[in-house]
Amino acid sequence: MVSQMPMATLTPDTQSLLARRERVLSPSYRLFYEEPLHAVRGEGVWLYDAQGRRYLDAYNNVPVAGHCHPHIVEQVTRQASVLNTHTRYLTELPVLVAERLLATMPAEMGSVILTNSGSEANDLAIRISRMVTGGTGVIVTDCAYHGTSDLLQGMSPVTGLPLGKDVFTISLPLEMPDPAAFTALVRDALDRMREAGVKPAALLVDTIFGSDGAVSDPVGFLKGAVEEMHREGAFVIADEVQPGFGRTGAGMWGFARHGIVPDFVTMGKPMGNGHPVAALVTRREIAEAFTRHQRYFNTFGGSSVSCAAALATMDVIEREGLIANAATVGGYLKQKLSDLAARHPNILTSVRGAGLFIGVQTPSGEIATRIVNGLRQSGVLIGGAGRGNAALKVRPPLPITQDEADYLIQQFEQVIQTTAG
Ligand SMILES: Cc1ncc(COP(=O)(O)O)c(C=O)c1O
């Protein structure tokens, strides 16, 4: 993601681990930050490095309930010592997960397939969409990321790799003039498809548009696009890998902010608070149409320990009121970041987002990278996103307190002052 500091300036333990890593892991891996963080422990919103220094983890949207949450650790450990098997046996845990997920969704959603990663869930959603509609065309935004399989790399323009066959992009404005603007973009993509002789299959969108830089407003702008896709006999896939499990502070799912009912909901990252568990949820009739053509089995998708992690994560989200906290502390943090932007308009040009998914725009990727690395040195971890990597992504675990948000703002202000100077 960023170039690394010269080896000699790194601590001896970082140098040594880095050298071992480079010897045995593929060079295709990238580390965050000019000075890579050697993380050895996590607790709540904090990560600790090998020297015992703590960092407020405001980047990592996987440990939604906080790092190493005791309830989740206990449930995963207990299940690992009782039974860990797959969905070809009759066991209760996958049923419990599916029941609990469906209870958070519109009544139209009636069927769950458990997978190991968001990529597998998206891959399957595309496969089913193409099979059931008979179309092939897929619409994505031009900075989207949807996964790591060969198919999905071709639907993830942010990677810079060539687009896949029959994939059409729309260029999402960061500040949308009105809800109809998005509908017009989708309509235009559908027209381009028709001209190219391609039958549409699906619109695939992250409902908080995280890698586009957190495009959140106006609320409801996805509505018209759903109608356009359905009019064409095509589907809408809500990729909830980023906004799902309460992050937007407006219910469990990002699509709820838009008042839509998608045809597929895909999820992953926060689902097991760090344990690999993901899922695809769809309408019953779509699942039945798919099943008439194909069976599905995934060795680890829906295994007992993964299900225990998912159930325990949902327990914590409910018991600790994490969605309400995302709304309250997220609103506070967004306001404070907006105040900061008003004081430094040449560096922070706008603040977007919902709940605890906040995007802060800067004028360039170079400035954003300086801020990201400056904050890492000050003990706060955030990341970059959007066109030219010029936006900052702020996504702390959902239990973050107002005091911790204040700490983040204090460090932010200091780093901005240095960047401005
Ligand atoms: C929006 C979105 N969709 C899908 C994925 C892929 O998920 P996974 O890495 O679990 O395969 C990601 C991962 O970053 C993502 O951000």
Side-chain angles (χ1 to χ4, degrees):
M1 177 189 165
V2 287
S3 59
Q4 194 190 291
M5 281 163 64
M7 248 324 195
T9 60
L10 302 174
T11 62
D13 94 272
T14 304
Q15 285 186 40
S16 142
L17 186 54
L18 212 47
R20 281 171 56 209
R21 177 180 155 113
E22 282 170 4
R23 259 197 305 280
V24 293
L25 288 182
S26 165
S28 54
Y29 281 112
R30 287 281 178 281
L31 287 161
F32 288 145
Y33 311 115
E34 285 166 4
E35 182 176 6
L37 179 70
H38 178 183
V40 294
R41 188 167 77 80
E43 187 180 349
V45 298
W46 302 97
L47 276 178
Y48 294 80
D49 73 11
Q51 281 72 43
R53 182 178 180 204
R54 69 176 193 166
Y55 299 80
L56 177 64
D57 183 2
Y59 174 77
N60 192 343
N61 69 340
V62 175
V64 68
H67 288 278
C68 302
H69 191 288
H71 175 65
I72 302 169
V73 171
E74 191 266 323
Q75 290 295 307
V76 165
T77 313
R78 193 190 56 77
Q79 189 59 44
S81 68
V82 175
L83 175 73
N84 193 28
T85 189
H86 57 66
T87 49
R88 286 219 202 265
Y89 296 99
L90 182 63
T91 58
E92 192 183 14
L93 284 163
V95 179
L96 284 171
V97 172
E99 285 171 347
R100 200 127 163 216
L101 285 176
L102 290 178
T104 67
M105 300 230 173
E108 290 87 338
M109 307 309 285
S111 188
V112 177
I113 292 181
L114 293 159
T115 64
N116 306 294
S117 66
S119 298
E120 284 181 350
N122 278 335
D123 205 282
L124 190 58
I126 295 291
R127 195 168 117 201
I128 300 176
S129 295
R130 286 180 164 167
M131 180 178 291
V132 174
T133 63
T136 52
V138 175
I139 304 173
V140 294
T141 58
D142 67 354
C143 267
Y145 181 77
H146 290 295
T148 196
S149 67
D150 192 23
L151 178 81
L152 292 168
Q153 291 282 293
M155 296 178 186
S156 300
V158 76
T159 60
L161 294 170
L163 288 184
K165 186 166 151 32
D166 298 345
V167 177
F168 291 71
T169 60
I170 52 181
S171 192
L172 190 68
L174 295 175
E175 320 293 338
M176 199 109 45
D178 58 63
F182 189 78
T183 318
L185 290 170
V186 170
R187 188 61 260 164
D188 175 63
L190 287 167
D191 291 344
R192 279 184 279 134
M193 257 187 219
R194 180 172 304 122
E195 278 161 29
V198 172
K199 186 174 177 335
L203 168 71
L204 169 61
V205 283
D206 163 359
T207 61
I208 191 70
F209 299 90
S211 58
D212 294 272
V215 183
S216 51
D217 294 300
V219 173
F221 71 74
L222 279 173
K223 246 186 187 150
V226 175
E227 286 160 18
E228 290 291 336
M229 295 309 290
H230 285 171
R231 198 169 300 133
E232 298 275 347
F235 291 141
V236 173
I237 304 166
D239 180 338
E240 293 285 337
V241 167
Q242 294 279 349
F245 293 89
R247 180 153 292 279
T248 64
M252 273 286 268
W253 310 108
F255 68 77
R257 287 185 74 245
H258 288 277
I260 61 163
V261 180
D263 303 290
F264 297 87
V265 182
T266 56
M267 62 194 75
K269 283 188 195 289
M271 187 170 173
N273 206 48
H275 188 91
V277 52
L280 164 79
V281 181
T282 188
R283 298 168 187 262
R284 190 87 218 167
E285 67 274 16
I286 297 177
E288 281 165 3
F290 173 60
T291 307
R292 280 196 286 279
H293 296 276
Q294 284 187 18
R295 294 275 179 269
Y296 184 82
F297 174 64
N298 185 327
T299 302
F300 297 121
S303 67
S304 322
V305 175
S306 303
C307 289
L311 289 168
T313 303
M314 288 189 272
D315 287 345
V316 176
I317 291 173
E318 278 170 31
R319 287 180 197 166
E320 298 186 9
L322 293 187
I323 300 178
N325 196 61
T328 313
V329 182
Y332 176 80
L333 194 54
K334 191 175 173 192
Q335 184 55 52
K336 290 281 174 184
L337 286 166
S338 302
D339 296 346
L340 197 59
R343 291 198 291 283
H344 303 278
N346 297 334
I347 296 185
L348 306 180
T349 54
S350 66
V351 179
R352 301 178 293 271
L356 284 167
F357 200 123
I358 303 176
V360 185
Q361 194 64 35
T362 78
S364 70
E366 195 242 323
I367 292 181
T369 302
R370 267 178 22 222
I371 296 172
V372 167
N373 283 295
L375 277 169
R376 180 256 180 260
Q377 296 303 342
S378 320
V380 173
L381 307 176
I382 64 163
R387 241 162 254 145
N389 238 15
L392 303 168
K393 252 188 318 201
V394 182
R395 299 172 307 190
L398 303 194
I400 187 172
T401 63
Q402 192 167 311
D403 285 350
E404 288 159 344
D406 282 333
Y407 172 77
L408 189 154
I409 294 294
Q410 265 166 27
Q411 303 306 316
F412 225 111
E413 178 122 49
Q414 275 175 22
V415 169
I416 298 294
Q417 277 160 359
T418 318
T419 309

